[in-house]
């Protein structure tokens, strides 16, 4: 369940998605959640079959890490947090295996500080997501980035609850 | 990208009979000069002019923080000219200065506005003018009178005839937000919308001649820098590269625009020659470099960079060369701009958990915190250097506020209605003087 721990985004609902997500990724149940297991497509298929295979577009599978489209960041940081890396990696792999698919990565910041600096910070977050996806084989021309800085908050509010939701990158397919 | 698109955009004129912004002085100044502005007399027939000139002059002067004006209800007399003034009436009230005036008909639909300024203790006339006006420019005439009084009494130029630009977000009927770029008189009256967009508008910046605004507007999910003529609405797209096109800043001669572009990988400061379209890169670092601002002598640019790990203010000669870090206090200093005399910077500084407006004295390196909010941003000097306007957030709403350059007088400017007001920027002094309406 090592893989699953990477997906503990926050709420129980997300966690349940993550547990199921392990099946699709191939690590579920095997207990060997290392890199090799993730890329082991054979075991993924059997595990997924046992749980009921998803036959539609992988992006639409609610049990896949691909269902998670928002990556959160720490204050004034653009480094992808450990608990979010696996989601970004899954998207990178998906893009690598689907070279005709393109995605827009929107970078966002919380409302504190100056607006243009936050535009720059949002761009750096979007670029961090892009870089990690490219290490998985996604190509540059599949990924479009844009930063809205603090202009498009997810949550209205002036406390850490709201701010932590607003410091994010969003993947829009 | 050298191609310049010339676009004509629709102007949304929102003439409003009343102020869109109400101004409230939240903290007064010690040592403000006591002054009385007597309601001006009307010497014609009929109802007379639509504006209360004395009230506008009085409001301007008290907002500067330099004057404490006498309420009309406390006045013992209502003189309109030197012949009617009894200095004793004003001495007893502790007034140091007195303004009286009268308005006469002038032609078919014009006025002649006369005023006189007195030193109450010496019992002498300091200055007096007769100014022709029309119904449409009565407010402008009042601001001009306030400027003349201010300059006579303080020795500094008044900034009451200037304007402010700001970005206002208004919830629309469809549940979405309309974002508008607006220009209003410095006292908040006559707000006019010069751009209306469903997407964010950022970083308005006045050209030094006060005729154009540069700003960032998102077009089809992409930030673009435009330069727009304020009066005609004609605009040009000046930067639409891949990535960030942001933070436009005019050179003092109005010929160049410093800006932030990330087209080469990460945000760097560039200088665009507006006539030749030549683009020159000024900074080169993998960190964030943004928010450029020119020194008044045009020689240096200050900007925000996190090359030291946290955002701080740096200075670089416009010709390129050695970089110098200017801020060392705290872990967040951003969006600096110069005072008109070039001796200090205003900036956003983090103090504990609050983001406040600070003034950095360039000589001593001393940083003085001027504002008291938790989320203050976008400071902009009045062209006479006396006041700083900025954006603040109170009770979940973004409003404008102003503080005197010495930090002693604070004001809150509240918008009527439900809009969020941000990114204020004070215009330069008008070069070609008043427009005719």
């Amino acid at each position: 369940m090592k893989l699953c721990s990477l997906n503990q985004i926050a709420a129980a609902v997300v966690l349940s998605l993550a547990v199921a997500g392990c099946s699709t990724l191939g690590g579920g149940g095997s207990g060997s959640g290392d890199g090799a297991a993730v890329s082991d497509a054979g075991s993924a298929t059997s595990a997924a079959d046992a749980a009921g295979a998803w036959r539609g577009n992988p992006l639409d599978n609610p049990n896949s890490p691909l269902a998670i489209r928002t990556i959160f960041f720490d204050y004034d940081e653009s480094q992808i947090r450990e608990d979010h890396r696996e989601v970004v990696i899954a998207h990178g792999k998906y893009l690598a295996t689907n070279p005709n698919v393109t995605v827009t990565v929107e970078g966002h910041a919380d409302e504190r500080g100056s607006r243009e600096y936050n535009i720059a910070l949002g761009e750096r977050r979007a670029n961090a997501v892009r870089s990690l996806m490219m290490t998985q084989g996604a190509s540059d021309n599949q990924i479009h980035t844009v930063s809205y800085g603090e202009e498009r908050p997810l949550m209205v509010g002036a406390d850490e609850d709201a701010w932590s939701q607003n410091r994010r990158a969003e993947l829009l397919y | 990208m050298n191609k310049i698109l010339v676009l004509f955009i629709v102007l949304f004129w929102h003439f409003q009979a009343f102020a869109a912004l109400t101004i409230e002085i939240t903290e007064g100044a010690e040592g403000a000069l006591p002054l009385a502005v007597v309601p001006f007399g009307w010497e014609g027939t009929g109802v007379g002019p639509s504006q209360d000139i004395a009230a506008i002059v009085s409001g301007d002067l008290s907002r500067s923080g330099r004057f404490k004006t006498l309420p009309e209800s406390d006045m013992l007399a209502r003189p309109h000219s030197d012949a009617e003034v009894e200095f004793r009436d004003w001495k007893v009230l502790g007034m140091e200065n007195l303004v009286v005036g009268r308005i006469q008909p002038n032609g078919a639909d014009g006025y002649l506005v006369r005023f006189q300024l007195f030193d109450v203790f010496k019992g002498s006339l300091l200055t007096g003018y007769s100014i022709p006006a029309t119904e449409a420019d009565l407010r402008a005439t009042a601001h001009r009178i306030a400027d003349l009084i201010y300059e006579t009494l303080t020795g500094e130029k008044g900034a009451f005839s200037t304007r402010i630009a700001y970005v206002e977000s208004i919830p629309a009927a469809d549940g979405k937000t309309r974002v508008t770029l607006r220009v209003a008189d410095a006292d908040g009256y006559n707000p006019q919308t010069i751009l209306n967009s469903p997407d964010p508008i950022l970083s308005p910046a006045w050209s030094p001649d006060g005729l154009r605004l540069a700003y960032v507007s998102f077009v089809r999910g992409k930030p673009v820098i435009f330069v727009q003529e304020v009066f005609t609405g004609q605009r040009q797209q000046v930067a639409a590269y891949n990535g960030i096109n942001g933070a436009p800043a005019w050179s003092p001669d109005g010929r160049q625009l410093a800006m932030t572009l990330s087209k080469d990988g990460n945000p760097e400061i560039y200088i665009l020659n507006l006539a030749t379209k030549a683009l020159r890169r000024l900074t080169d670092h993998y960190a964030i470099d943004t928010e450029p601002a020119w020194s008044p002598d045009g020689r240096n640019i200050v900007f925000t960079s996190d090359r030291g790990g946290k955002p701080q203010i740096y200075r670089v000669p416009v010709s390129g060369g050695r970089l110098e870090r200017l801020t060392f206090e705290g872990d967040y200093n951003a969006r600096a701009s110069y005072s008109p005399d070039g001796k200090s910077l205003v900036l956003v500084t983090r103090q504990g958990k609050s983001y406040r407006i600070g003034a950095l004295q360039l000589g001593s390196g001393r940083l003085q915190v001027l504002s008291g909010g938790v989320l203050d941003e976008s400071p902009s000097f009045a062209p006479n250097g006396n006041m700083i306007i900025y954006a603040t957030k109170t009770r979940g709403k973004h409003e404008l506020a102003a503080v005197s350059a010495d930090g002693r007088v604070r004001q809150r400017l509240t918008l009527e209605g439900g809009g969020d007001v941000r990114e204020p920027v004070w215009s330069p002094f008008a070069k070609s003087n008043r427009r005719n309406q």
Side-chain angles (χ1 to χ4, degrees), chain A residues 75 114 116 123-124 150, chain B residues 199 203 262 291 306 355 422:
Chain A
Y75 171 74
S114 71
E116 288 281 0
E123 184 186 70
R124 195 149 74 179
E150 62 180 277
Chain B
D199 295 310
S203 303
S262 66
E291 301 172 338
D306 70 342
Y355 292 76
R422 301 177 75 174

Side-chain angles (χ1 to χ4, degrees), chain B residues 302-366:
Chain B
V302 291
F303 62 98
T304 309
S305 177
D306 70 342
R307 58 184 63 206
K310 297 288 176 190
Q312 298 289 354
I313 305 301
Y314 293 77
R315 177 170 59 194
V316 64
V318 168
S319 53
R322 200 175 64 87
L323 219 89
E324 191 184 350
R325 181 171 161 180
L326 298 179
T327 51
F328 296 92
E329 248 178 77
D331 63 0
Y332 194 107
N333 292 293
R335 206 192 197 269
S337 57
Y338 278 89
S339 61
D341 66 8
K343 290 179 181 163
S344 62
L345 302 178
V346 278
L347 44 79
V348 176
T349 183
R350 183 176 170 165
Q351 304 282 316
K353 290 185 171 177
S354 297
Y355 292 76
R356 294 191 168 148
I357 307 306
L360 179 77
Q361 300 303 322
L362 290 170
S364 65
R366 196 173 76 92

Side-chain angles (χ1 to χ4, degrees), chain A residues 8-10 19 32 38 53 69 91 111 114 126 142 161 165:
Chain A
Q8 288 168 353
I9 302 298
V19 170
S32 66
V38 172
R69 306 281 168 82
H91 284 280
E111 64 179 354
S114 71
Q142 284 178 279
D161 272 1
Q165 295 293 300

